[in-house]
Structure formats: structure tokens, C-alpha cells
Amino acid sequence: ERILAPAAFAALVLATMRTVAPNLFCRNVTSTTERICGLDETMLAQLLAGTLGFALLLEPRLVARTGQEVENTIEYAYRTMAGL
């Protein structure tokens, strides 16, 4: 019984996701995500840093505001977990 409930829930979630977002399970998406997961972490970090730098050049206020929102969200989650 303890094993069946989580398995049934997982099957329900999978069936729902296949209905709501069938593109997530197509062969093209699966092969693309496998390739992305297999890439070098350093290259992905450099790509992310380059993207952030480009966004910073285009809209520095938006990047700063987004950073503050992320910081506030993390602080709120930390305070909630700490019970403060």
C-alpha cells in the first residue's frame, strides 16, 4: 500500500503532463535535452554569463530589479524556513 500510492500519483502526474504538454515527450525534445545535459558545465556557465551580460547591456534596470526580486524571494523563503 505504501508503495502503490506514490506510484499511482506518479502515473497520474505523467498522464496529466502527457495530456497538457505532449511536446515535452516527443523525440525531438527528448534528444535535445539529452544533448544539453551531456554538455560541458563550464561551457553552459559561460553561455549563461554571456546571456546575462548581454541582457545587462540591453536593459540594466530590468536586470537589477529582477536580481532584487530574486534576493527578496530567497530571503523570504529563508526567513519562513527559519521561523523568523
Side-chain angles (χ1 to χ4, degrees):
E1 243 178 70
R2 290 183 179 178
I3 295 174
L4 290 178
F9 179 71
L12 177 65
V13 169
L14 182 62
T16 303
M17 289 302 295
R18 285 186 184 267
T19 304
V20 173
N23 292 338
L24 289 176
F25 298 96
C26 75
R27 188 173 354 132
N28 292 338
V29 172
T30 304
S31 63
T32 301
T33 55
E34 286 174 358
R35 279 189 246 149
I36 290 172
C37 289
L39 291 175
D40 181 30
E41 290 179 28
T42 305
M43 188 198 62
L44 291 174
Q46 290 172 345
L47 180 63
L48 181 61
T51 303
L52 180 60
F54 187 70
L56 190 58
L57 287 173
L58 292 178
E59 296 198 42
R61 288 186 181 144
L62 177 63
V63 173
R65 191 169 47 245
T66 303
Q68 288 172 344
E69 290 174 7
V70 169
E71 182 182 0
N72 290 340
T73 302
I74 291 171
E75 181 182 359
Y76 173 75
Y78 176 75
R79 288 184 184 276
T80 302
M81 288 188 300
L84 300 176

